[in-house]
Every structure is written in structure tokens, then in C-alpha cells.
Amino acid sequence: MTVSFHLCQPGGGASCGACCGLYNFQDHSREALTEQLATQTARLRRTPLDAESWGEAARELLEQRHASPMFPAVRVCPLLGFIDFQGRQVGCLGHPKVTGGVDLRDCGVYRSSVCETFTCPSFGWLTDGQARLVQAACADWYLYGLVITDVEFVRACLRLLEWELGGPARPEEMMARPEVLATVRRLFALKETAPRRDKRAVVFGRFSRDVEGEPVPRMLDYVKLGVRAAPEDDVVLCLGYTPTDPTELMASRELVRSHVRAVSRALAA
């Protein structure tokens, strides 16, 4: 399984800055990240294109940051910003394709050599069809980045859909039908829209943080909750739910189930 296109800048309205630490905050809402990106973009756009000036600007941006990263080992680069003037495309403002030829990536928290050689795990873990479906359904920087980097979420959603259909869920068919693609977007958009999640919980999707600040996978305590496992639970965890009683868990399962059924009905119509 290898994706045949560039996941960071695939076009069609999608772009991603997750490898630069974009979502690595407890509050990684669209509003919070838009504000941070806008601040970094404004500061760097008025900075002369030389390493000394950009290094100083990067240090200032890091010092002025309001929140600390959720996982300290994952660095959050201050060179990340909006590379277009409409605020729709996220990318590295120090990349030579953005600056017009000058490579200023060494002024960030990663060396340019690291940026050049890094490969997103999703590139090898998603099929080409799965990745293209995410690109088509999540055609904006915020949602696309959240979904394309959560392989378990994408796989689990499609697995539930296949169980509902009683057969394969074909990405090419879903992409070819706008009414179906709209239901897929609503399913994937639960990463942003799912209600009643505990905003105080120190979790990022399926991961929580250990005492040293490292990401660790979360699991549901079925004995404590007094319920059996269900097929929807992988998605429930990926959405960041932290159910403390059976009612919360059942409600989150039903939310997922209803969105999967909506895709299935659209495909059958």
C-alpha cells in the first residue's frame, strides 16, 4: 500500500501541516489554529528573506506562543503558515517554492534535510483510493490534516461502512457521486464536529499522554463501563471521546452508526 500523490500538498483545496506539529495542542480547534497560523504568517511575510532575520522571527514566535505542545517530543514549527493570500492553504513559509528560491527551513525547529527526507506514515499505510477519498471529501486544510494523518480512523470508518453494506466500500464510486461524497465528508468531519467531548481531557484522538509526556494509545475499560466491545469503538476513540459511563458510550456509538448508515443509504439510492 503506497499512495501515489503528495499528501502534504495534494491540491483540490487540501493541504496538511501535521508533520510540523500543527495539531499538537490540547486546544487544536479550527479557531485556535487559524489564529496561530495567521500570526505566524503575518510576522514572516514582513521579514526580510535572510537566515538571520528569519531566525530572530522564529524565536520571537516561539516565545510568544500561548500554549505548550501536548506532546513535547513533537516539535511545533513557527515557520508553518498560510502560503496563499486567502488563508486556505497551509505550508512551510520558509520553503524555497514559497519564498521564490531561498531555502529558510533551517530557521525552524527542523533542519531542511529532515523536511526533505521525512515521509508521512499515512503514505505507506493508506491505499491510494483511501487517500484520494479523504482528499476529495475533506477539501480544506483543517479537516484534511486531521483525517489524512489518522489512519486508524479512516480504516475504521470504511470498515464499518463495509459491514453496513455487506460488501466492499469502493472509494472511486463514492468520489464519483457528489451526493455520496457529501455524506462521507459529514462522517469524516466528526473529527471536528462530534459533540459532547470533554475539552479538559488531555487526549488527541486515540492517544493520551503518559507521565513523561509521550503519546500512549487509549483503550476503553469495558469492565468498568459494564458493556461489551462494539465495532464502532475504534472510531469513538479516534474522535477523542472519553466515556465515563455506558450512556455516554452508547450515545457516541450511535452518532458514528448514524453517519455510517447515511453513507450506506446514499450509496444504495
Side-chain angles (χ1 to χ4, degrees), residues 117-187:
T117 57
F118 178 79
T119 300
C120 175
S122 298
F123 182 81
W125 293 346
L126 291 175
T127 67
D128 195 69
Q130 290 168 346
R132 291 190 182 280
L133 178 62
V134 174
Q135 178 195 4
C138 307
D140 76 81
W141 68 266
Y142 180 79
L143 184 58
Y144 173 77
L146 274 180
V147 175
I148 197 68
T149 54
D150 194 339
V151 173
E152 287 189 75
F153 174 70
V154 176
R155 286 177 174 175
C157 285
L158 295 179
R159 186 165 59 245
L160 289 174
L161 181 57
E162 290 182 339
W163 287 339
E164 187 70 28
L165 293 170
R170 297 183 175 88
E172 61 275 12
E173 180 181 357
M174 289 183 269
M175 288 186 287
R177 299 173 59 187
E179 72 281 7
V180 177
L181 191 62
T183 63
V184 175
R185 179 179 173 84
R186 287 192 286 271
L187 171 60

Side-chain angles (χ1 to χ4, degrees), residues 3-262:
V3 178
S4 65
F5 62 97
H6 198 287
L7 288 181
C8 296
Q9 302 292 339
S15 58
C16 182
C19 65
C20 305
L22 177 59
Y23 302 97
N24 189 24
F25 298 97
Q26 185 166 352
D27 180 6
H28 52 272
S29 63
R30 183 186 292 266
E31 294 74 19
L33 298 188
T34 298
E35 180 181 354
Q36 177 176 312
L37 289 169
T39 297
Q40 293 173 183
T41 302
R43 176 65 176 88
L44 292 171
R45 276 191 179 150
R46 65 174 186 265
T47 303
L49 294 176
D50 63 80
E52 183 178 355
S53 299
W54 272 59
E56 180 181 350
R59 288 190 293 273
E60 287 180 7
L61 288 167
L62 289 173
E63 291 169 359
Q64 294 167 4
R65 186 173 288 161
H66 299 301
S68 298
M70 178 177 287
F71 305 112
V74 180
R75 302 174 187 175
V76 183
C77 189
L79 304 191
L80 194 62
F82 293 117
I83 60 176
D84 65 329
F85 287 95
Q86 292 76 40
R88 297 175 183 171
Q89 189 176 0
V90 170
C92 177
L93 294 166
H95 195 285
K97 289 185 178 180
V98 177
T99 65
V102 182
D103 191 346
L104 294 165
R105 288 175 292 178
D106 282 348
C107 300
V109 296
Y110 293 106
R111 307 297 294 177
S112 60
S113 57
V114 173
C115 301
E116 285 290 339
T117 57
F118 178 79
T119 300
C120 175
S122 298
F123 182 81
W125 293 346
L126 291 175
T127 67
D128 195 69
Q130 290 168 346
R132 291 190 182 280
L133 178 62
V134 174
Q135 178 195 4
C138 307
D140 76 81
W141 68 266
Y142 180 79
L143 184 58
Y144 173 77
L146 274 180
V147 175
I148 197 68
T149 54
D150 194 339
V151 173
E152 287 189 75
F153 174 70
V154 176
R155 286 177 174 175
C157 285
L158 295 179
R159 186 165 59 245
L160 289 174
L161 181 57
E162 290 182 339
W163 287 339
E164 187 70 28
L165 293 170
R170 297 183 175 88
E172 61 275 12
E173 180 181 357
M174 289 183 269
M175 288 186 287
R177 299 173 59 187
E179 72 281 7
V180 177
L181 191 62
T183 63
V184 175
R185 179 179 173 84
R186 287 192 286 271
L187 171 60
F188 287 161
L190 288 175
K191 290 285 282 185
E192 179 179 5
T193 64
R196 300 182 300 278
R197 291 177 287 186
D198 185 357
K199 294 182 179 180
R200 298 166 299 176
V202 185
V203 300
F204 181 79
R206 189 158 191 156
F207 293 89
S208 59
R209 189 173 62 184
D210 65 15
V211 294
E212 296 180 350
E214 294 296 319
V216 290
R218 297 190 299 125
M219 298 182 67
L220 293 172
D221 188 339
Y222 294 109
V223 174
K224 184 177 180 180
L225 290 167
V227 298
R228 295 179 180 273
E232 295 80 15
D233 291 347
D234 285 337
V235 176
V236 167
L237 285 168
C238 288
L239 291 177
Y241 279 109
T242 54
T244 57
D245 61 62
T247 302
E248 287 183 47
L249 178 57
M250 297 303 179
S252 59
R253 286 174 175 174
E254 181 55 35
L255 176 70
V256 173
R257 199 175 295 126
S258 66
H259 280 73
V260 171
R261 287 172 177 165

